[in-house]
Amino acid sequence: MYQEFAQSVENMAKSVMNDIHTALPGKIMSFSPEKGTAVVKPAGKYLTSDGVSLEYPVISGAPLMFPYCRTASVGLTFPVKTGDDCLIIVSETDLDEWLSGAESEAPLRYDLTSAIVIPGLMPVGNAAMAKANARDAVVIISGAAEIVIANGKIDIKGDVTFDGNVSVNGILTVGNINLNTHRHISAMPGQKSGKPQNE
């Protein structure tokens, strides 16, 4: 009698837990940068209360999280493409009120319909991770371009275009020419000056 009761309580607890979702890996199916939302597919399968293994459903309208301050318009964003891996966080509360300001008619807790997506989850490491770890650096990559920030120094690899004014406090060196102290070889009238050179 007691064993049957204990088993019944255990089954009930498992049934309740199966309906509570917290965080799981997934893939981006599509992304709308205008709305800031994605359609995502959770990875793996879940068990129903009667032990049936099912695929997770596709989740639509899930907001993406970037390190960004909306009020100050300061932050970091990057492309999100179909097939990218992501981390799906399931909100404890219904997101309807936060997203639209409309009160939810049937608020759900820990439900897949209240998913938040963090892009950039990776199942394996890459060269940028290795370089950042080896040099205690921040590494930003985009194709062949790369910015490495380490030990008070910034190294930039790739073409650089400035749209605006540039101010330099310190020594500006181009090639091996110090532009703060460089000089030109004098030229006769009507001739071009010589190449710049260091003092």
Side-chain angles (χ1 to χ4, degrees):
M1 179 89 171
Y2 174 77
Q3 187 175 2
E4 292 178 359
F5 174 74
Q7 186 63 50
S8 177
V9 171
E10 182 180 345
N11 291 342
M12 184 181 299
K14 286 182 177 178
S15 176
V16 171
M17 290 299 294
N18 284 339
D19 289 332
I20 296 177
H21 306 285
T22 54
L24 61 165
K27 280 198 180 292
I28 303 288
M29 307 298 289
S30 65
F31 172 57
S32 170
E34 296 80 15
K35 296 179 180 178
T37 60
V39 176
V40 294
K41 176 73 167 64
K45 297 183 178 182
Y46 72 98
L47 291 175
T48 63
S49 56
D50 53 0
V52 178
S53 179
L54 297 174
E55 293 277 346
Y56 279 101
V58 171
I59 304 169
S60 61
L64 267 71
M65 177 180 164
F66 287 99
Y68 197 86
C69 176
R70 187 173 62 171
T71 55
S73 295
V74 174
L76 173 67
T77 59
F78 49 83
V80 177
K81 304 292 185 180
T82 298
D84 284 349
D85 292 297
C86 63
L87 179 63
I88 302 170
I89 304 293
V90 182
S91 174
E92 178 181 348
T93 59
D94 194 311
L95 293 181
D96 284 350
E97 186 172 348
W98 175 73
L99 285 170
S100 65
E103 189 172 338
S104 178
E105 295 181 3
L108 301 172
R109 292 172 60 85
Y110 299 106
D111 191 76
L112 288 175
T113 57
S114 292
I116 298 168
V117 177
I118 302 176
L121 182 67
M122 288 183 283
V124 295
N126 58 31
M129 286 182 181
K131 182 177 288 189
N133 190 63
R135 296 182 56 182
D136 292 334
V138 174
V139 178
I140 302 171
I141 58 171
S142 179
E146 179 182 83
I147 299 174
V148 178
I149 305 170
N151 300 319
K153 182 180 176 183
I154 301 174
D155 294 326
I156 300 176
K157 176 184 176 183
D159 297 333
V160 179
T161 301
F162 294 98
D163 183 6
N165 299 323
V166 178
S167 298
V168 177
N169 292 320
I171 298 172
L172 179 61
T173 303
V174 177
N176 65 344
I177 303 297
N178 182 333
L179 297 186
N180 297 60
T181 59
H182 83 284
R183 58 193 178 87
H184 292 263
I185 301 171
S186 62
M188 297 296 291
Q191 294 181 344
K192 295 181 179 178
S193 65
K195 293 181 179 179
Q197 60 184 19
N198 285 321
E199 293 257 281

